């Protein structure tokens, strides 16, 4: 077997590795899992690189400064002055989640194999499977079930975010975990050829990225925009997709 | 890109200043965060955001609607930040060839403290110890979620060079931050 380098694990962490089997290989090896856990914990510390907060009026201030240099009429900027959000930049560092990430990675790999493993599947397909994958696994059903559980968690995290006026460190941590899992399930759905599910999960990613890395230092206006995006249809779409997945679970 | 943003960009590209103002209001915070992470300097980040928006206004009629407006703005912001750092002699090593790097020395220089403020400071110090291309590539990957291909285009380097920049950045960050994980 090819030696797995830290560069490979870095690409896996960022969802960029070209080998779809790597996640399962890592999950199947205690040595690789341990290395991956440490790398994840160390890279998550980079989340502490938190910019200073800018108030709601920052965008208007930028506009006032640049508008005379744009030429033409004077800008129509109006002052947007609201209260400042208290800057909450609670750093977080924890090994929690890294283990579950490995499990998700392994699961996502197993579920994402082209064609999956039908109950009466081709035994030849099992030869290359890591031991984490179970023989006779109905991967289509398991994919639906796993993504459904994932969407339920996303639903909870987004609902809390949409109804909270202030950010918290937990919020960013939850969003990071959701983001990592979401990427893996998206890759699994892509590999299975489930374009609709893959596109839906891809649609969730920009918001999860914003929640994970920007929401803590975002202005109230930006937070409100994100909350509106969640309320205006995203939660509904998640529930509809979840319902579809649950139907798939039953019918498969 | 939403239909609404699509229309706003079209109007701005046609010279509608109020439409461009909407884009400024929408993207200023995100651009500031990126500019600050590139420079670790509040004042510089504010200057970069303003300059980047002025450049964006001048170039917006050349923006291709099928691509991401956010990525386009990020590219302008990164380039503006690079120019700023070069002008202010804070540039380290942009070339692919890296100077000899001693991880043992770097980790020894990083005192370990328990407080979260120290963690923030050490993370910032470690980040600013990276070369510009390493830091840019890592930030655009880690915080902005761009693909390696997108980042390579933004930084005008090859995909391979982009990967190597991320790998180097990750190695250095891990050495610098490792003591914080084990405490």
């Amino acid at each position: 077997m090819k030696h797995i380098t830290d560069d490979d694990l870095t690409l896996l962490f960022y969802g960029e590795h070209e080998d779809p089997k790597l996640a399962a290989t890592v999950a199947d090896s205690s040595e690789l899992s341990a290395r991956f856990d440490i790398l994840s914990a160390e890279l998550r510390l980079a989340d502490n690189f938190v910019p200073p907060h800018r108030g709601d009026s920052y965008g208007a201030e930028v506009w006032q400064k640049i508008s005379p240099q744009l030429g033409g009429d004077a800008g129509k900027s109006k002052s947007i002055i609201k209260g400042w959000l208290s800057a909450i930049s609670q750093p977080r560092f924890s090994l929690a989640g890294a283990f579950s990430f490995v499990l998700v990675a392994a699961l996502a790999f197993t579920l994402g194999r082209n064609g999956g493993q039908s109950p009466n599947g081709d035994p030849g397909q099992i030869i290359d499977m890591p031991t984490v994958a179970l023989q006779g696994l109905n991967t289509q059903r398991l994919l639906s079930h796993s993504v459904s559980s994932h969407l339920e968690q996303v639903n909870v995290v987004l609902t809390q975010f949409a109804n909270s006026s202030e950010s918290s460190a937990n919020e960013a941590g939850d969003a990071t975990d959701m983001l990592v899992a979401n990427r893996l399930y998206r890759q699994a759905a892509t590999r299975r050829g489930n374009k609709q599910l893959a596109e839906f999960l891809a649609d969730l990613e920009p918001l999860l990225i914003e929640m994970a890395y920007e929401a803590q230092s975002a202005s109230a206006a930006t937070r409100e925009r994100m909350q509106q995006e969640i309320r205006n249809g995203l939660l509904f779409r998640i529930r509809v997709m979840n319902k579809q997945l649950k139907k798939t679970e039953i019918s498969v | 890109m939403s239909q609404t943003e699509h229309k706003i960009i079209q109007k701005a590209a046609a010279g509608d200043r109020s439409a461009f103002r909407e884009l400024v209001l929408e993207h200023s915070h995100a651009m500031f965060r990126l500019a600050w992470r590139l420079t670790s300097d509040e004042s510089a980040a504010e200057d970069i955001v303003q300059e980047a928006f002025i450049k964006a206004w001048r170039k917006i009629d050349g923006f291709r609607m099928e691509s991401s407006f956010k990525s386009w703005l990020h590219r302008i912001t990164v380039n503006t930040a690079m120019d700023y750092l070069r002008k202010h002699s804070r540039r380290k090593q942009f070339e692919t060839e890296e100077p000899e790097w001693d991880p043992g020395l770097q980790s020894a220089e990083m005192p370990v403290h328990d407080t979260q403020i120290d963690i923030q400071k050490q993370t910032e110090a470690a980040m600013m110890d990276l070369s510009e291309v390493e830091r840019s590539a890592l930030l655009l990957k880690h915080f902005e979620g761009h693909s390696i291909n997108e980042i390579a285009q933004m930084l005008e380097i090859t995909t391979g060079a982009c990967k190597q920049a991320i790998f180097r950045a990750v190695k250095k960050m891990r050495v610098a931050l490792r003591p914080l994980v084990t405490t």
Side-chain angles (χ1 to χ4, degrees), chain A residues 82 161-162 219-231:
Chain A
K82 295 179 183 173
F161 180 86
S219 68
T222 302
R223 190 177 177 84
E224 174 62 24
R225 193 256 306 150
M226 291 164 71
Q227 289 175 327
Q228 277 184 1
E229 189 180 337
I230 292 168
R231 291 191 205 108

Side-chain angles (χ1 to χ4, degrees), chain B residues 11 14 20 27 40 44 53 69 74 84 86 96 101 103-104 108 119-120 130 134 156-157:
Chain B
K11 284 183 181 178
F20 188 69
H27 293 281
S40 190
F53 271 124
F69 187 69
H74 280 180
Y84 181 94
R86 284 182 200 118
T96 308
W101 173 65
I119 292 169
Q120 281 182 301
L130 304 176
E134 291 165 354
E156 297 176 349
I157 56 178

Side-chain angles (χ1 to χ4, degrees), chain A residues 88 90 92 164 166-173 211 215-216 223:
Chain A
I88 298 170
Q90 197 80 14
R92 58 195 166 76
S164 169
E166 290 191 342
S167 63
S168 70
N170 286 343
E171 185 178 275
M211 283 176 63
Q216 279 189 300
R223 190 177 177 84

Side-chain angles (χ1 to χ4, degrees), chain A residues 4-249:
Chain A
I4 308 298
T5 65
D6 283 358
D7 292 346
D8 289 318
L9 297 180
T10 299
L11 290 176
L12 179 65
F13 179 83
Y14 286 121
E16 289 265 8
H17 205 285
E18 291 169 356
D19 181 1
K21 293 180 181 175
L22 182 63
T25 305
V26 170
D28 202 32
S29 157
S30 56
E31 183 259 334
L32 289 175
S33 294
R35 280 172 56 199
F36 186 79
D37 287 352
I38 292 168
L39 179 138
S40 301
E42 289 168 356
L43 281 180
R44 280 164 191 254
L45 274 175
D47 297 352
N48 290 293
F49 195 41
V50 181
H53 179 69
R54 282 293 173 277
D56 286 356
S57 59
Y58 178 61
E61 289 164 14
V62 172
W63 175 252
Q64 283 180 340
K65 285 180 181 164
I66 66 168
S67 59
Q69 299 175 61
L70 302 182
D73 295 336
K76 297 177 182 176
S77 63
K78 59 179 179 182
S79 173
I80 304 172
I81 302 173
K82 295 179 183 173
W84 287 54
L85 271 182
S86 58
I88 298 170
S89 53
Q90 197 80 14
R92 58 195 166 76
F93 64 106
S94 155
L95 284 165
F99 180 66
S100 60
F101 174 85
V102 169
L103 286 181
V104 169
L107 187 61
F109 163 74
T110 305
L111 303 179
R113 289 186 319 133
N114 285 330
Q117 174 62 49
S118 69
N120 301 315
D122 175 8
Q125 285 186 302
I126 298 171
I127 293 171
D128 292 330
M129 289 285 287
T131 54
V132 71
L134 303 173
Q135 290 190 16
L137 197 66
N138 185 332
T139 53
Q140 176 59 45
R141 184 171 175 177
L142 193 51
L143 176 64
S144 299
H145 179 77
S146 304
V147 177
S148 174
S149 300
H150 166 66
L151 290 182
E152 279 170 13
Q153 290 178 0
V154 171
N155 187 41
V156 170
V157 169
L158 293 187
T159 303
Q160 286 173 346
F161 180 86
N163 295 299
S164 169
S165 59
E166 290 191 342
S167 63
S168 70
N170 286 343
E171 185 178 275
D174 290 344
T176 305
D177 292 342
M178 295 297 107
L179 174 64
V180 174
N182 201 76
R183 282 174 178 155
L184 290 164
Y185 285 129
R186 172 174 53 77
Q187 289 171 346
T190 303
R191 287 199 298 274
R192 283 199 69 90
N194 191 337
K195 194 179 171 191
Q196 186 197 7
L197 181 58
E199 285 178 353
F200 176 79
L201 294 172
D203 286 348
L204 291 180
E205 280 188 22
L207 187 71
L208 291 174
I209 288 171
E210 271 195 297
M211 283 176 63
Y213 301 124
E214 297 178 9
Q216 279 189 300
S217 57
S219 68
T222 302
R223 190 177 177 84
E224 174 62 24
R225 193 256 306 150
M226 291 164 71
Q227 289 175 327
Q228 277 184 1
E229 189 180 337
I230 292 168
R231 291 191 205 108
N232 294 346
L234 190 57
L235 286 177
F236 176 73
R237 286 181 63 203
I238 289 171
R239 286 165 194 154
V240 169
M241 177 55 77
N242 205 3
K243 207 170 178 180
Q244 282 181 16
L245 290 169
K246 285 183 188 298
K247 274 186 190 169
T248 311
E249 274 182 61

